[in-house]
Amino acid sequence: MPKRRGTGLLLALLAFAQFISAIDYNIVYVALPEIGRAVGFDAHSLQWVVSAYAVAFGGFLLLGGRMADLLGRRRMFTTALVLYGLASLTGGLATGPGVLVAARAVQGLGGALLLPATLSLINTSFGEGAERNRALAVWGGAGAVGLALGSLLGGLLTNYLGWEAVFYVNVPLALGAAAVAWKAITPDAPRERGRGFDMTGALSATVGFTALVFGVVQGPEAGWTSVQVLTALLGGLALIGVFLAVEARTAHPLMPLRLLHNRNLVAAMGVTFIFMGTFGAQYYFFTLYLQNVHHYSAMATGLAFLPSALTGMVGTKASEKLLDRVGTRTTLLTGLLLGAAGMAVLALALSPTGGYLSLLPGVTLLSLGQGLAWTAMFAAAGTGVDAAHQGIASAMASTTQQIGSAVGLAVLIAVASHGTHATTGPSLVPGLRTAGFTAAALTLLGVAIALTLRRRNAARSATDRDADTEVPTPALSA
């Protein structure tokens, strides 16, 4: 591997890229009502301002991961940021629903290229163990702060500059980071001969996962038995089956099935699925509770997320210490259990007349657990994986993360809305409470999966070492 240089600048850049991506996850939520009025969305189509991003992100992650491995991590990192910045500009300029939804989809594509490139740069630039744990903690902390500050920034921008500003703000951030990348990231090595690109696998995986995420996102709105939802779900599952069959036979797989022998990676995939379906959905329901039950303004809602941002930073910093002292499994279990307790405590505090201070104990536990678990689950995903496969391994964990987000949100929205057709007012509270308790219970599935992780970060298994005989790149080790 080329000699590392400027790892401090590199880590700052990778953390900043995660910060940009995390901000965008929440920044649009508080602007949705104004976007709907200004751009002409109806009540049924407005969800696609959020869903278009999720569908493209989830569908293209595997392709993005393999492209990072084969075409170069610096190339894909900078390409993703440029694509993200230009799509954000287009979104801010949009005057109709079609253009805005398309821009959000392209943003999602940029995110799908960016995340695996970022994680593979971390996992190949920082040695497995304490060095990588610190890098992941910094990266995870940037994400936790971005998730929380996204709501605050969205409220400020929407209130003072209009909904367009939530898109425009990404343009200088993304393009500036792309420019810095050429200095901070070591140039990509020339592409090695004999490493083909599995086009059949790429197409079947991309279309299959895109269709699957589309079906899950559209299910609550169109109905799970509707023709479009059933077609998307069954077609997506069939194409994923084709993808797995192709991967088992091709000489140059998009996703080498040998990676599924890595117990930590498989467990991390399961945990990321549960994590985003439970922890990730809390931002949506917390925003809904503040705005639709207590009628908080966009700015007040954003300010309400500040304690979450600060506690998330504490959690990611603590995860670095715990990963070194007690290992990935114990750190992850601690984070998941704290988060589950936080969801339950928060659900108990929801009330038509309750004040904000009563919510803080639950928010604190939830955010602390989130910071601990976020760093640990991606540390698990990269443990024992060959350097040549870090991009696709990161994409595998990130794909289950995105699908989990779509599935979890769909399930919890169905739980929260059961028995009521109201969209505002105190009648929402019982459903929101039930959704919170359900999320806490589902988090315990993640605890069960995390128990299958190895007790400590260990050396690579023989299976992992032999995962790619074509490219004898040594794995990083502590």
Side-chain angles (χ1 to χ4, degrees), residues 56-80:
F57 199 132
F60 283 89
L61 270 167
L62 283 181
L63 181 60
R66 198 54 175 156
M67 289 173 73
D69 287 336
L70 292 180
L71 303 181
R73 297 178 177 103
R74 185 171 78 164
R75 294 187 190 99
M76 296 316 303
F77 184 86
T78 52
T79 299

Side-chain angles (χ1 to χ4, degrees), residues 194-263:
R195 299 184 72 186
F197 198 86
D198 176 19
M199 188 54 66
T200 303
L203 288 173
S204 58
T206 300
V207 178
F209 281 112
T210 300
L212 188 63
V213 176
F214 173 87
V216 170
V217 168
Q218 192 69 358
E221 185 63 43
W224 293 104
T225 58
S226 67
V227 173
Q228 64 172 322
V229 171
L230 286 176
T231 300
L233 292 176
L234 295 177
L237 290 173
L239 284 169
I240 292 170
V242 169
F243 165 67
L244 293 174
V246 169
E247 299 306 281
R249 292 171 173 79
T250 183
H252 304 288
L254 177 71
M255 186 187 80
L257 297 184
R258 297 184 191 90
L259 292 175
L260 296 177
H261 296 160
N262 183 317
R263 192 167 79 187

